[in-house]
Amino acid sequence: MAPIAGDPRFSMVAGEASGDLLASLLLGGMRRRWPQLSATGIGGPKMAGQGFTPWWPSDKLAVHGYAEALRHYREISGIREALAERLLRERPQLFIGVDAPDFNLGLEARLKAAGVRTVHFVCPSIWAWRGGRVKKLWRSADHVLCLFPFEPELLQGHGIEASYVGHPLADAVPLDVPRAAARQALGFAADEPVLAVMPGSRRGEINNLLPAFLGAVRRLHAARPALRFVLPVAPGLRPLVDQHIAAHGAGLPVELLDGRSHEALAACDATLIASGTATLEAALFKRPMVIAYRLHPLSWQLMKRMRYQPWVGLPNILCRDFVVPELLQHDATPNALADAVLQWLDAPQRAQALEQRFMELHHLLRRDTARTATDVIARLLGS
């Protein structure tokens, strides 16, 4: 590998909280390799903590479903155009698009055509839905960093260079969950039953899911008065959560946390959770879960037609089985959600078997992602 002349200049784009987390973990590995690197673009607070300079905040891209994307199209399109023009002037040594394929792939294609090297970090879910994206990915990315082991072979079959780097969350979450410490930190007794209520980190998710989640909490509280409820709130969303609790959860013993989702997952007995990256976090914390999701009706109809497999939640996709229940759209009723949670709480042997399956998954995904991905990036820069 040829040495890099000077300190490398990267540009990155990450949308919403999950992308900010993934990008910050990657930035940590890159900074260990190149302490004086510069990284600019669109990112969130975790990336800023790694020395990233955001030109726009990542929450500008945090839209939920087709209907919301259409409402924000003009603003997001304007940001992408302004960013592309700036990057074409400044020409970073490498552009890294972190997830957010609807925003990043078009931007990457434009940069790649102009001679700027591009990496896409997180293979779009072409194996689950929207397989037509594979052609767009081929035009957009010089290399794809894949989180899951089956993805590189799939992409290489389409002429796309790709590497399996593991999932950075598998490195960030300990194999042995610090449950006692988490419970002590959150003020729970060792034998208290605890449910983590996790309706998502985007405004659209909270608006669509939290009323049903609070309805489920009301039923669970009536059935299990000793059950404790903890709800981690993503940065900037506390007013929205408070609004829904006032409207749908008055009198319920729901304890709100500012962030601290990992402590909540480590401490809980089960979680009621929105489909997304958080479900993988719950699996890495070896927690039983009930996955739910609701979209705008138009978005739901479009997504249903493009699905290739029966699973939506990442733990089920990776295990190739319905190891945890999924309640989607009209099925995500308060009664159904509460009943599914009770089935976990009343079946400790079933929960223990799930824990073992999730431990195997954790080992499979643990690859020191930050270092492995940085090695791939170094080869690209040195070639």
Side-chain angles (χ1 to χ4, degrees):
M1 182 188 72
I4 298 170
D7 300 320
R9 293 180 299 107
F10 299 101
S11 184
M12 304 178 74
V13 169
E16 65 193 51
S18 60
D20 180 37
L21 175 59
L22 290 173
S24 71
L25 296 170
L26 176 59
L27 271 167
M30 290 161 60
R31 194 165 292 283
R32 285 190 288 275
R33 177 72 62 94
W34 305 293
Q36 302 304 315
L37 69 82
S38 66
T40 56
I42 299 177
K46 288 184 170 60
M47 295 168 69
Q50 293 288 345
F52 181 83
T53 301
W55 295 335
W56 288 272
S58 59
D59 59 15
K60 288 289 187 182
L61 310 186
V63 297
H64 177 235
Y66 294 102
E68 188 175 348
L70 286 172
R71 286 198 299 272
H72 293 275
Y73 175 79
R74 186 183 298 273
E75 180 186 15
I76 293 173
S77 180
I79 290 172
R80 184 164 63 179
E81 180 63 24
L83 177 60
E85 290 178 359
R86 184 166 182 177
L87 294 178
L88 289 172
R89 287 196 308 269
E90 300 188 4
R91 301 189 70 82
Q93 288 170 281
L94 188 71
F95 174 83
I96 304 171
V98 182
D99 208 1
D102 289 319
F103 185 95
N104 276 326
L105 292 183
L107 176 61
E108 289 166 21
R110 186 170 171 182
L111 295 174
K112 183 180 177 183
V116 176
R117 289 188 177 181
T118 59
V119 165
H120 196 76
F121 183 31
V122 182
C123 175
S125 302
I126 57 174
W127 34 266
W129 67 302
R130 291 185 70 170
R133 270 186 176 160
V134 71
K135 293 181 180 178
K136 192 170 187 179
L137 187 61
W138 179 83
R139 293 193 302 268
S140 302
D142 289 304
H143 204 94
V144 180
L145 303 176
C146 298
L147 303 184
F148 303 124
F150 59 85
E151 293 173 326
E153 183 177 0
L154 175 64
L155 293 181
Q156 287 160 8
H158 293 278
I160 300 169
E161 293 297 319
S163 300
Y164 172 51
V165 298
H167 203 295
L169 289 173
D171 299 317
V173 176
L175 287 170
D176 295 316
V177 177
R179 192 167 187 230
R183 284 186 162 239
Q184 184 176 14
L186 296 177
F188 299 136
D191 58 350
E192 282 186 296
V194 177
L195 179 74
V197 181
M198 303 184 70
S201 60
R202 296 183 285 189
R203 299 183 68 86
E205 289 173 329
I206 290 169
N207 286 330
N208 287 332
L209 282 175
L210 188 51
F213 278 20
L214 291 171
V217 167
R218 192 173 297 281
R219 288 156 177 76
L220 289 165
H221 179 54
R224 299 282 195 279
L227 183 60
R228 301 279 295 271
F229 303 94
V230 60
L231 195 164
V233 182
L237 294 177
R238 183 65 177 262
L240 180 61
V241 170
D242 285 339
Q243 176 185 332
H244 281 292
I245 288 178
H248 306 284
L252 292 177
V254 179
E255 302 170 49
L256 301 184
L257 302 176
D258 291 323
R260 305 179 74 179
S261 61
H262 281 192
E263 284 178 289
L265 287 172
C268 73
D269 293 281
T271 178
L272 180 56
I273 192 165
S275 181
T277 302
T279 63
L280 179 60
E281 294 177 272
L284 294 172
F285 278 100
K286 327 298 187 299
R287 292 298 86 206
M289 71 190 82
V290 175
I291 297 174
Y293 214 62
R294 282 179 170 177
L295 290 166
H296 185 281
L298 173 61
S299 299
W300 172 248
Q301 291 302 321
L302 290 169
M303 182 176 176
K304 272 205 312 183
R305 285 198 290 267
M306 292 186 287
R307 280 172 61 185
Y308 295 158
Q309 55 188 13
W311 313 285
V312 169
L314 279 170
N316 290 337
I317 289 170
L318 291 168
C319 292
R320 313 300 292 174
D321 192 7
F322 282 105
V323 297
V324 299
E326 297 178 357
L327 295 170
L328 310 176
Q329 206 67 2
H330 301 300
D331 293 332
T333 65
N335 282 338
L337 295 169
D339 288 345
V341 169
L342 288 173
Q343 288 175 28
W344 282 122
L345 297 178
D346 293 340
Q349 289 182 327
R350 179 176 167 231
Q352 189 173 7
L354 181 71
E355 181 176 348
Q356 179 57 41
R357 192 149 189 186
F358 283 164
M359 178 64 81
E360 295 168 2
L361 179 62
H362 198 159
H363 280 289
L364 178 66
L365 297 178
R366 204 167 228 228
R367 289 291 182 273
D368 192 353
T369 299
R371 180 188 58 78
T372 305
T374 299
D375 287 345
V376 174
I377 289 168
R379 289 197 299 271
L380 290 172
L381 291 173
S383 61

